[in-house]
Amino acid sequence: MAQQQGMAALAAEKGVLFGSTLTRGQADESAEMRRLARQEMGAIVPGFEFKWPTLRPGPWEFDFSGAEAMLRLAEEQGQKTRGHALVWHGALPGWFGDGPADAMGMRTLLRHHIDTVARRYAGRIHSWDVVNEPVEPWDGRQDGLRDSPFLRSMGTDYIDLSFRWAAEADPQARLVLNEYGVEMATAEQEARRTALLRLVEGMLRRRVPLHAIGIQAHLAAARQHEFEAEVLRRFIRRIAALGLDCYITELDVTDRGLPPDIATRDAAVAHTYRVFLDAALAEPSVKAVILWGISDRYTWMNDSRFARREDGLPTRPHPFDADFRPKPAWDAIREAFRAASAR
Ligand code: 9MR
């Protein structure tokens, strides 16, 4: 049988960069993961290796071994690397605590980190998630920004400054603001979209170097009824009208809330991928689609109290099963790329 075209190849035919997150541990442990990475990814997003806990074992130390290993792997295979993430409240090393309380201390720490890391890999990173998840309307601020340690010490300036420092350190990388919970047609997610758009408009007015918005897209098949293609498309168009691309940065689909029957779950998950991608790819400013996992063998969802199944069964959120066999989601994603128009 002739080899079927993989997801990345079909995406590339339409001018879309396609890939997945992958960790060094997965690549070292599993030949099957290495095979899937080769066959199915045009871009790799190291899952841990560019995050603070891996890069910064101590306040004055850097450990680049994981980042180097992942970059080498991608480069040997002719794949792009997305850097994730320079500034994120969600993964900080223990020594960080709440970070320096004073603005100058935090500023020095952030600038040193961004400068060291982004400069070291300048020219080798397709795009950086410079600031990850800066919006949280439920933190009660007027501007809808997250009450993170960075904001508490530096004020809202930390976002603009992080992008400016990243642009200086790596003028070639596309600089991305990455956010979750902006895909669905719920009032809650509408509030997140509004806060995000307001932030982005302000940044562009202040001439901050920002090139794309990352839409994470952690989806749930059981909440498919809350999705409206037109709501997502309008949001993407508003971003495009500001001159920015959109990247789908962490796409996956939990089967939480679906019955245990595997065929039922797999069909619903595949359908959710297809409907979402049809909507996103209908917008020509969507230039990249990245999955947050490729095989059910390695998924963050079983460890997440929001995404794991309430009946305790392992989740089946990715296009390959735990034995690396393709699932209906694999066909659904490939079909979505086949149906998309070229950009
Ligand atoms: O999937 C990632 C998980 O394995 C890590 O333990 C966690 C902390 O580093 O990060 C998870 O990935 C998150 C990503 O970095 C940002 N958006 C939400 C993702 C899922 O929690």
Side-chain angles (χ1 to χ4, degrees):
M1 189 178 82
Q3 178 137 10
Q4 286 177 295
Q5 262 185 307
M7 298 181 287
L10 290 166
E13 283 181 1
K14 302 302 167 70
V16 178
L17 179 65
F18 180 87
S20 172
T21 187
L22 179 74
T23 71
R24 186 186 192 182
Q26 294 160 9
D28 283 352
E29 176 180 288
S30 165
E32 287 292 288
M33 278 301 270
R34 293 197 294 279
R35 175 182 64 82
L36 284 184
R38 260 194 325 275
Q39 290 176 3
E40 299 283 350
M41 301 181 198
I44 291 177
V45 187
F48 294 124
E49 293 73 12
F50 285 85
K51 288 175 176 170
W52 282 60
T54 310
L55 281 175
R56 305 298 303 275
W60 311 110
E61 294 161 63
F62 285 85
D63 178 352
F64 294 111
S65 54
E68 307 280 352
M70 294 307 284
L71 262 172
R72 247 193 333 269
L73 178 73
E75 287 171 353
E76 276 167 15
Q77 301 180 153
Q79 293 157 321
K80 299 206 183 329
T81 301
R82 294 199 68 246
H84 173 82
L86 290 170
V87 182
W88 184 33
H89 70 280
L92 290 167
W95 61 260
F96 190 95
D98 292 325
D102 63 300
M104 219 8 135
M106 183 66 92
R107 196 184 154 113
T108 306
L109 182 62
L110 272 193
R111 180 166 199 171
H112 180 56
H113 181 81
I114 293 173
D115 201 62
T116 306
V117 176
R119 199 173 295 279
R120 183 181 181 96
Y121 298 119
R124 297 169 72 188
I125 300 290
H126 166 269
S127 48
W128 268 112
D129 289 335
V130 179
V131 179
N132 194 33
E133 304 174 3
V135 164
E136 186 44 274
W138 316 121
D139 278 355
R141 293 172 51 94
Q142 273 287 320
D143 56 14
L145 294 185
R146 179 184 297 278
D147 183 33
S148 69
F150 318 114
L151 184 138
R152 280 196 291 279
S153 297
M154 285 175 67
T156 58
D157 263 7
Y158 86 91
I159 301 175
D160 288 11
L161 286 171
S162 296
F163 278 85
R164 294 194 199 282
W165 295 330
E168 268 172 41
D170 183 353
Q172 276 164 270
R174 310 297 291 162
L175 304 183
V176 181
L177 194 158
N178 196 39
E179 193 50 88
Y180 72 89
V182 292
E183 307 85 18
M184 307 299 281
T186 60
E188 181 191 328
Q189 299 213 357
E190 185 63 26
R192 305 180 63 85
R193 283 189 287 275
T194 303
L196 179 59
L197 282 169
R198 209 183 303 144
L199 167 65
V200 169
E201 283 163 2
M203 290 171 73
L204 295 175
R205 261 199 311 277
R206 296 185 297 275
R207 304 202 166 278
V208 173
L210 165 66
H211 308 119
I213 299 302
I215 296 177
Q216 291 188 7
H218 294 292
L219 308 179
R223 295 176 54 193
Q224 180 61 33
H225 58 282
E226 293 175 349
F227 181 73
E228 280 176 35
E230 194 41 39
V231 171
L232 178 73
R233 291 189 57 183
R234 204 182 310 133
F235 177 58
I236 295 172
R237 281 199 298 272
R238 285 196 61 180
I239 294 166
L242 298 171
L244 304 183
D245 286 339
C246 275
Y247 300 160
I248 307 302
T249 48
E250 303 184 15
L251 178 60
D252 52 17
V253 181
T254 178
D255 57 8
R256 179 190 180 88
L258 297 178
D261 174 65
I262 284 181
T264 308
R265 287 198 264 160
D266 285 1
V269 165
H271 178 70
T272 300
Y273 274 108
R274 179 72 203 265
V275 170
F276 178 83
L277 282 174
D278 280 351
L281 293 170
E283 294 301 328
S285 65
V286 173
K287 300 283 173 57
V289 173
I290 306 293
L291 306 184
W292 210 243
I294 195 149
S295 155
D296 298 337
R297 170 76 59 115
Y298 299 108
T299 181
W300 67 285
M301 289 190 152
N302 291 330
D303 307 315
S304 156
R305 69 194 161 95
F306 302 108
R308 71 172 172 236
R309 289 182 59 85
E310 282 147 324
D311 60 12
L313 290 173
T315 55
R316 299 178 60 85
H318 302 304
F320 290 84
D321 71 12
D323 296 317
F324 308 100
R325 287 179 304 231
K327 294 161 56 190
W330 184 65
D331 294 310
I333 294 168
R334 291 162 67 245
E335 283 307 314
F337 286 121
R338 274 210 190 91
S341 41
R343 44 226 65 210

